[in-house]
Amino acid sequence: MEVTNGLNLKDTELRLGLPGAQEEQQLEVSCVRSNNKRKNNDSTEESAPPPAKTQIVGWPPVRSNRKNNNNKNVSYVKVSMDGAPYLRKIDLKMYKNYPELLKALENMFKFTVGEYSEREGYKGSGFVPTYEDKDGDWMLVGDVPWDMFSSSCQKLRIMKGSEAPTAL
């Protein structure tokens, strides 16, 4: 019988096992600290390393265009168009100059861009392509040389022509 501070703790001890099982067959869990420490049986036997975690092939799913994300030859920017219910993402490095980019945007959003002049911007169209640079300023596409544009462009927005002069 185990007595601590005048209390019989054997009666209040927790036991795991089926009711009615003999006491030797039950596993006992004691709330009383004992000085018996677990013996480390692993020191005499060689322990096997834990099994290696296997990654499920194809999980998590990665789209093929994002697998080589460290590739510096890509420069994705979001493209929005006033009145269009969706955004697109394009790689500026695929285009060599403004006419190629504008042609791709016309095909993507089904609109036409007018003639560009440095004084008057885009004439003859209901839409004006603009972009946001690294400083957060909105400018007309075509205002700066192509190399400067492709390195500083963060977003493209095709604005309605009536809104473009007041916004820029």
Side-chain angles (χ1 to χ4, degrees), residues 25-103:
Q25 294 175 345
Q26 290 183 349
L27 177 63
E28 293 185 9
V29 176
S30 177
C31 297
V32 179
R33 288 186 181 199
S34 65
N35 291 336
N36 298 338
K37 292 185 177 179
R38 273 192 199 172
K39 293 180 182 176
N40 189 357
N41 294 336
D42 294 341
S43 61
T44 58
E45 300 174 7
E46 290 184 26
S47 60
K53 292 183 180 179
T54 58
Q55 184 176 4
I56 300 172
V57 177
W59 190 260
V62 177
R63 293 189 181 187
S64 62
N65 62 348
R66 293 187 183 191
K67 282 184 182 176
N68 296 329
N69 203 14
N70 295 335
N71 190 355
K72 298 295 181 190
N73 293 330
V74 292
S75 176
Y76 289 110
V77 295
K78 289 182 182 179
V79 182
S80 63
M81 181 173 176
D82 291 353
Y86 52 86
L87 296 173
R88 297 289 177 123
K89 198 177 246 190
I90 62 169
D91 179 13
L92 287 180
K93 300 287 183 182
M94 290 179 50
Y95 308 104
K96 295 178 183 135
N97 51 35
Y98 286 118
E100 283 185 22
L101 174 66
L102 293 175
K103 192 68 172 165

Side-chain angles (χ1 to χ4, degrees), residues 99-117:
E100 283 185 22
L101 174 66
L102 293 175
K103 192 68 172 165
L105 293 174
E106 287 176 350
N107 292 335
M108 191 179 297
F109 289 100
K110 307 294 185 234
F111 77 104
T112 56
V113 176
E115 189 68 29
Y116 175 76
S117 70

